[in-house]
């Protein structure tokens, strides 16, 4: 990275540079921001991201109040949330910024070295949706959809294997407590737990030791009436 942008493009005013950059494919933005310190500063500021939001999602408003425990953040964060909602979380064509913010929050929490209990994460998500006017049923549906999308988009590495194993091995008494004593919608969906086990057994079979594999399989059999043959491969 240099301090200057030579040539006619480098001498353009900032608002024209932003108009050019936001018309280019998103996949090229990282390379563009490395051309010069001046161009990098445009990507670090708010104006470029606000312009990109207005260009890509013109119907999205800028609400001043954002209730709930999950922060909305900067314009760059808003852009990421909207991109996630449009491309990673199936929504039937509807752009719901809240879904994107919740996805980003959950993914960041799950990628931490010390992951909070999944029940706390799930409760935070439910509280966020309810604070923004969703019904309990809708909050539960959206939370489950986001959990599944995050799990499906985690990188296939050792850290993800350890995370999934942790989620799968959360104490059975604790799971039963969540199932029978926490009120709807704070009880988690079985679809999410199924996806955790499915990803473990199908994407990470070589990461298990024999003892860990049998422990995980025993846990799966105790929670589901039947397990697919694809899980029986150690």
């Amino acid at each position: 990275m240099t301090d200057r942008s030579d040539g006619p493009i480098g001498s353009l005013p900032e608002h024209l540079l932003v108009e050019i950059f936001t018309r280019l494919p998103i996949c090229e933005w990282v390379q563009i921001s490395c051309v010069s310190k001046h161009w990098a500063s445009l990507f670090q500021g708010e104006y470029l991201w606000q312009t990109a939001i207005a260009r890509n999602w013109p119907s999205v408003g800028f609400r001043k109040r954002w209730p709930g425990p999950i922060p909305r953040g900067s314009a760059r964060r808003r852009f990421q949330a909207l991109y996630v909602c449009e491309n990673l979380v199936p929504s039937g064509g509807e752009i719901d910024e809240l879904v994107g913010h919740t996805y980003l929050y959950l993914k960041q929490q799950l990628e931490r070295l010390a992951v909070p209990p999944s029940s706390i994460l799930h409760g935070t998500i439910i509280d966020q949706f309810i604070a923004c006017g969703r019904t309990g049923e809708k909050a539960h549906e959206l939370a489950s959809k986001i959990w599944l999308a995050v799990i499906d988009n985690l990188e296939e590495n050792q850290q993800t294997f350890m995370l999934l194993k942790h989620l799968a091995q959360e104490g059975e008494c604790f799971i039963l407590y969540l199932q029978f004593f926490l009120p709807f919608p704070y009880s988690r969906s079985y679809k999410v737990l199924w996806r955790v086990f499915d990803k473990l057994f199908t994407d990470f079979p070589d990461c298990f030791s024999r003892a860990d594999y049998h422990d995980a399989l025993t846990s799966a059999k105790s929670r589901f009436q039947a397990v697919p043959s694809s899980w029986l491969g150690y």
Side-chain angles (χ1 to χ4, degrees):
M1 185 182 293
T2 64
D3 282 322
R4 57 196 179 88
S5 300
D6 293 329
I9 294 182
S11 62
L12 291 175
E14 287 189 355
H15 72 278
L16 290 182
L17 287 174
V18 167
E19 288 294 328
I20 293 172
F21 295 160
T22 55
R23 284 174 164 81
L24 296 175
I26 295 174
C27 60
E28 297 180 7
W29 287 8
V30 172
Q31 291 179 308
I32 294 170
S33 67
C34 293
V35 170
S36 71
K37 291 182 179 179
H38 174 56
W39 288 16
S41 69
L42 295 179
F43 283 90
Q44 293 169 359
E46 289 284 288
Y47 178 65
L48 182 143
W49 298 102
Q50 290 173 353
T51 303
I53 290 172
R55 177 169 302 282
N56 288 277
W57 303 282
S59 61
V60 175
F62 285 81
R63 292 192 300 175
K64 293 182 180 179
R65 181 172 177 270
W66 183 258
I70 298 176
R72 194 181 199 190
S74 64
R76 179 173 184 168
R77 181 77 170 189
R78 290 194 67 215
F79 181 92
Q80 292 173 333
L82 290 162
Y83 180 88
V84 162
C85 180
E86 185 174 61
N87 295 279
L88 298 182
V89 183
S91 57
E94 178 185 357
I95 300 298
D96 187 347
E97 183 180 346
L98 178 57
V99 170
H101 282 290
T102 308
Y103 174 97
L104 294 175
Y105 162 79
L106 180 59
K107 191 169 189 293
Q108 286 180 337
Q109 294 298 311
L110 292 180
E111 289 175 343
R112 293 173 57 183
L113 292 178
V115 180
S118 59
S119 59
I120 293 178
L121 296 177
H122 184 73
T124 302
I125 291 171
I126 295 298
D127 286 342
Q128 179 65 59
F129 281 122
I130 291 176
C132 290
R134 305 302 194 276
T135 65
E137 183 176 353
K138 187 64 175 178
H140 189 269
E141 174 190 342
L142 290 172
S144 298
K145 185 182 295 186
I146 289 166
W147 270 99
L148 294 174
V150 170
I151 291 170
D152 286 344
N153 285 283
L154 292 171
E155 294 185 14
E156 292 189 15
N157 53 34
Q158 185 67 21
Q159 182 178 345
T160 297
F161 169 71
M162 297 303 294
L163 166 65
L164 294 173
K165 190 168 77 166
H166 167 74
L167 293 175
Q169 293 178 344
E170 284 181 328
E172 290 195 26
C173 292
F174 184 61
I175 295 296
L176 290 173
Y177 172 80
L178 294 177
Q179 178 182 352
F180 292 109
F181 295 99
L182 279 183
F184 181 85
Y186 290 93
S187 55
R188 286 180 298 162
S189 168
Y190 264 105
K191 291 181 181 179
V192 175
L193 189 58
W194 177 277
R195 187 67 60 84
V196 168
F197 278 101
D198 186 56
K199 195 168 182 67
L200 265 177
F201 290 124
T202 57
D203 293 353
F204 297 95
D206 297 334
C207 294
F208 281 105
S209 67
R210 183 172 294 275
D212 283 346
Y213 170 80
H214 286 293
D215 287 344
L217 186 60
T218 300
S219 180
K221 288 180 176 179
S222 70
R223 300 179 190 187
F224 308 110
Q225 291 184 347
V227 298
S229 58
S230 59
W231 294 9
L232 310 174
Y234 193 88

